[in-house]
Amino acid sequence: MRTAFIETLCELAQTDERIWLLTGDLGFSVLERFGNYFPERFVNMGVAEQNMTGVAAGLALTGKTVFTYSIANFPVIRCLEQIRNDVCYHNLNVKIVAVGGGVTYGTAGYSHHGIEDIALMQSMPNMTVITPTDPFETKQVMHAIISKNGPCYLRLGRGGEPNIYGNLSPFEIGKATCLNEGTEIAIFSTGPIISEVLKALVYLKKNNVNPYVINFPTLKPFDDETVKQIASKVTNIFTVDEHTSYGGFTGSVSKAMAMSGFNCKLTQICLTDEYISITGTQSYLHKYHGIDAEFICKKILEVLK
């Protein structure tokens, strides 16, 4: 996904001289092509994310569209005050890119996990929050957020994510898309973890369970209407996301369900509300915390008994 991001950013920057890219001393072997093509618009800000965000805000005040880039929580939590006071308060055209959301950098330990980020970014007025599903959707998202004025938080995988959408063009800011037409129950998800949901779907169908599978790439503004429509058709909704259990994606689904007025049960499948003190690969941590395909399938069948 990070390769899709930088390729699309380079394409857009060829015709839009407002585009700048700032990095917090990261992105080596990924960002060089932007630096080679547009050296006057590429700055390595060093390990100083607060300063990076402040400079991005200053550039945006001069009419630039500025992308900040770093791993997981570094462009978010470390500089939250600058995002709040400098960027969002002034509704500036700064796009914050966090690569390796969730537990992608699981072997690097808790300092590199981006697992509270969505709840934090959703709470910021003026902020658009997007978690693409695959490399193709990442490209579509890039075109959309360049066209939308104001701050945006873009949470990406690290790389190697499977393509879910092929060559379809499904993305529109604020709109969910259906990946499987089902009956009686639904699985809502967001981001690359959807690949685990689709694996679980295969097992569920073998057990005569055919859920709706709905992808919500935009977490703010949220597609309340799709939640309402699905809640009117099913008895159970399951949410699957790579985030802590408070706020975030499930928080938005819960709010939309409460406003829908339909009596539908909600089950949350996500990371638990605790510090992750162990290290391991992303797939290992998915399994350890019960958000891999096997557990998703097991949990759904257990609830439906």
Side-chain angles (χ1 to χ4, degrees):
M1 293 174 78
R2 58 183 181 177
T3 301
F5 157 74
I6 196 64
E7 288 178 349
T8 310
L9 188 67
C10 288
E11 292 171 7
L12 293 166
Q14 288 179 359
T15 56
D16 189 343
E17 294 185 351
R18 298 174 304 161
I19 294 175
W20 282 59
L21 174 61
L22 311 183
T23 176
D25 203 30
L26 290 165
F28 301 110
S29 78
V30 177
L31 304 186
E32 285 85 351
R33 66 187 75 182
F34 188 96
N36 293 334
Y37 290 146
F38 316 104
E40 72 284 1
R41 290 187 267 155
F42 175 68
V43 184
N44 185 339
M45 300 298 299
V47 185
E49 288 82 2
Q50 298 97 325
N51 186 50
M52 176 174 72
T53 305
V55 170
L59 287 168
L61 282 171
T62 70
K64 313 299 184 187
T65 302
V66 189
F67 285 78
T68 63
Y69 179 101
S70 192
I71 288 177
N73 64 39
F74 298 143
V76 181
I77 294 176
R78 182 170 290 188
C79 43
L80 194 58
E81 183 176 338
Q82 285 73 26
I83 293 172
R84 177 178 182 267
N85 295 348
D86 297 349
V87 175
C88 289
Y89 182 73
H90 300 284
N91 196 25
L92 297 179
N93 220 6
V94 175
K95 319 301 184 187
I96 302 159
V97 180
V99 66
V103 292
T104 304
Y105 285 91
T107 55
Y110 183 72
S111 62
H112 286 56
H113 299 168
I115 59 176
E116 309 92 349
D117 55 328
I118 292 172
L120 291 169
M121 291 296 96
Q122 283 178 311
S123 69
M124 298 287 167
N126 296 324
M127 182 69 83
T128 298
V129 181
I130 301 177
T131 61
T133 303
D134 67 1
F136 181 79
E137 192 170 63
T138 300
K139 294 179 180 179
Q140 303 299 99
V141 168
M142 287 295 294
H143 286 275
I145 66 175
I146 284 288
S147 302
K148 180 178 172 56
N149 192 52
C152 177
Y153 177 59
L154 180 60
R155 188 205 225 207
L156 301 177
R158 182 183 184 182
E161 294 80 12
N163 271 307
I164 304 298
Y165 282 106
N167 294 318
L168 298 175
S169 300
F171 184 76
E172 180 181 348
I173 291 176
K175 295 295 182 183
T177 56
C178 182
L179 298 178
N180 185 66
E181 290 283 350
T183 57
E184 297 187 4
I185 73 166
I187 306 174
F188 293 169
S189 190
T190 184
I193 195 70
I194 284 178
S195 63
E196 293 297 316
V197 172
L198 294 178
K199 291 176 188 174
L201 177 64
V202 175
Y203 297 118
L204 289 168
K205 285 186 174 180
K206 289 180 180 177
N207 285 275
N208 300 315
V209 177
N210 183 30
Y212 289 91
V213 176
I214 310 293
N215 173 32
F216 289 79
T218 309
L219 302 182
K220 187 183 180 184
F222 196 65
D223 190 350
D224 295 337
E225 186 58 32
T226 291
V227 175
K228 181 179 179 180
Q229 290 175 4
I230 298 297
S232 71
K233 300 176 183 178
V234 301
T235 58
N236 285 269
I237 290 175
F238 298 84
T239 58
V240 179
D241 67 327
E242 198 169 342
H243 189 271
T244 56
S245 56
Y246 283 86
F249 174 57
T250 303
S252 295
V253 173
S254 302
K255 181 181 175 184
M257 287 178 65
M259 292 190 298
S260 75
F262 292 101
N263 186 19
C264 182
K265 183 177 180 181
L266 175 66
T267 302
Q268 186 177 20
I269 302 173
C270 66
L271 300 172
T272 53
D273 180 34
E274 59 182 336
Y275 288 108
I276 300 174
S277 58
I278 64 171
T279 60
T281 64
Q282 184 180 27
S283 59
Y284 174 80
L285 292 178
H286 282 172
K287 190 174 186 66
Y288 185 87
H289 288 279
I291 55 173
D292 66 338
E294 181 180 355
F295 183 89
I296 293 167
C297 181
K298 181 180 177 182
K299 182 67 177 180
I300 291 173
L301 293 176
E302 179 182 302
V303 171
L304 296 180
K305 277 183 180 177

